[in-house]
Amino acid sequence: MDLNQLECLLQQLTEAKDQIIKTANYCSAYPGSAQQIASMIENEFTQTRKDKKRIYLFLIHQIILDESQLRRQDNPFLKAFGGKLKKLLGDFCIVDDIKDLESAYTMIKRWERDLIFHPQFIQKLRSILQPKYDQLKQQQETFNALNQTDASANKQIEQSHKIYKHLQQLADIDSKTLEFNCNYDKFDEKTTSNQDLQNLIQEGEQCREQLIQSIIHLQQYYIEMAVQGENLQSEFYQGMQKKIDYYKEKKKEW
């Protein structure tokens, strides 16, 4: 095995699947150096920044899968990484993104499904991640709740503004209607000119049109309110269902 080449592969590793597979294949070709390879990967994993740690976890996962498929009798990589996984996952718990932990859970579930590690060891790995996962889950729910509160507040402001505009429109219509009635009361067929009559008719038409538009706007407003109510009810139901599904899944794992 060329240590310089392996070191170069590890330092240049990205989330690209082909790169991870290429590096894993290179490692798998040297089962006699499993302990040394595991130590080098552990070193890179420990030293890299937290948002890149998942990349080396993906690599470890791929190497373990490769060895499982090769069906080696002594399983050198399983032994090499098996002795380091608890420490590595403990270090992995400094991540801030819950998706990283979900990726780790997915790997552990795959190991459990393929019977790669003993069930008690799988349980131990889960227990290492669980406190951090619960913490990030709580933070995510709090963040979502705050966003929903802000969204609700914005909706209330928007609704209040719409109500104000509707009331303003109604006040304008009331004012124009009063003005029209006053003009109509003064109307005299004998003394009123054709131009005044046309102006009076036009004024009446404007009042009627404004009243129609106001009714339409009010109808649209109440329809929007009904739709928003249905959406809020649906969001609440979906949120509750997600919580139920989460705790069901958690119960299965335990």
Side-chain angles (χ1 to χ4, degrees):
M1 180 183 68
D2 188 336
L3 292 178
N4 291 330
Q5 184 178 354
L6 177 57
E7 187 175 2
C8 184
L9 286 171
L10 293 177
Q11 290 177 353
Q12 295 177 358
L13 195 63
T14 68
E15 288 189 70
K17 190 173 182 179
D18 57 341
Q19 269 197 315
I20 292 174
I21 292 175
K22 176 184 175 182
T23 306
N25 289 341
Y26 182 83
C27 294
S28 298
Y30 300 97
S33 302
Q35 287 292 343
Q36 188 175 15
I37 291 171
S39 295
M40 290 179 68
I41 294 174
E42 178 187 21
N43 185 56
E44 292 293 334
F45 181 95
T46 304
Q47 292 185 8
T48 193
R49 62 179 195 264
K50 57 186 175 183
D51 61 317
K52 289 190 65 178
K53 289 184 182 296
R54 63 179 177 274
I55 298 174
Y56 295 100
L57 202 59
F58 292 154
L59 175 62
I60 293 170
H61 177 62
Q62 188 62 48
I63 294 172
I64 289 173
L65 292 183
D66 287 350
E67 181 157 89
S68 176
Q69 292 171 359
L70 290 171
R71 300 183 183 279
R72 292 192 179 110
Q73 293 295 326
D74 51 350
N75 295 323
F77 284 104
L78 287 184
K79 293 176 182 176
F81 285 115
K84 298 178 182 296
L85 274 174
K86 288 191 286 186
K87 179 178 179 297
L88 291 174
L89 288 181
D91 185 52
F92 188 66
C93 285
I94 67 171
V95 298
D96 297 322
D97 192 343
I98 195 170
K99 291 181 180 179
D100 289 341
L101 290 179
E102 288 172 346
S103 297
Y105 270 117
T106 301
M107 294 176 194
I108 293 172
K109 186 175 285 188
R110 175 69 183 273
W111 299 341
E112 181 180 36
R113 189 193 72 185
D114 294 352
L115 303 176
I116 291 175
F117 292 111
H118 191 278
Q120 290 183 351
F121 185 68
I122 292 290
Q123 188 68 16
K124 180 61 179 177
L125 296 181
R126 281 202 181 101
S127 68
I128 293 171
L129 297 175
Q130 195 65 49
K132 183 66 175 184
Y133 182 81
D134 289 341
Q135 177 191 349
L136 292 180
K137 189 73 174 178
Q138 182 63 41
Q139 290 176 357
Q140 186 182 60
E141 290 177 354
T142 302
F143 178 76
N144 291 339
L146 289 173
N147 280 346
Q148 288 179 354
T149 301
D150 290 342
S152 297
N154 290 335
K155 285 180 181 178
Q156 288 179 354
I157 293 172
E158 184 181 352
Q159 289 169 2
S160 298
H161 181 66
K162 286 183 178 179
I163 291 173
Y164 170 76
K165 288 184 68 176
H166 290 318
L167 292 174
Q168 195 175 43
Q169 286 178 353
L170 290 174
D172 290 341
I173 292 172
D174 186 61
S175 176
K176 287 185 177 296
T177 302
L178 179 61
E179 183 181 353
F180 174 77
N181 288 336
C182 290
N183 292 334
Y184 182 77
D185 290 340
K186 296 176 184 177
F187 174 70
D188 187 341
E189 293 182 1
K190 296 180 180 179
T191 60
T192 304
S193 66
N194 287 335
Q195 184 61 46
D196 290 337
L197 182 59
Q198 288 297 324
N199 291 340
L200 186 62
I201 293 172
Q202 186 178 3
E203 190 177 340
E205 289 292 334
Q206 288 177 350
C207 286
R208 186 171 69 90
E209 183 62 27
Q210 283 190 338
L211 182 59
I212 291 171
Q213 290 300 320
S214 180
I215 292 171
I216 291 173
H217 289 155
L218 281 171
Q219 288 175 334
Q220 290 176 342
Y221 171 72
Y222 286 118
I223 290 172
E224 288 174 4
M225 288 285 288
V227 171
Q228 287 178 9
E230 289 178 357
N231 290 340
L232 287 172
Q233 188 176 19
S234 176
E235 288 173 6
F236 176 77
Y237 174 79
Q238 289 175 3
M240 292 297 294
Q241 191 61 46
K242 284 181 181 178
K243 282 188 176 181
I244 292 171
D245 293 341
Y246 163 68
Y247 286 114
K248 280 183 178 178
E249 188 66 25
K250 188 174 177 182
K251 186 177 180 181
K252 286 180 183 177
E253 292 174 355
W254 287 94

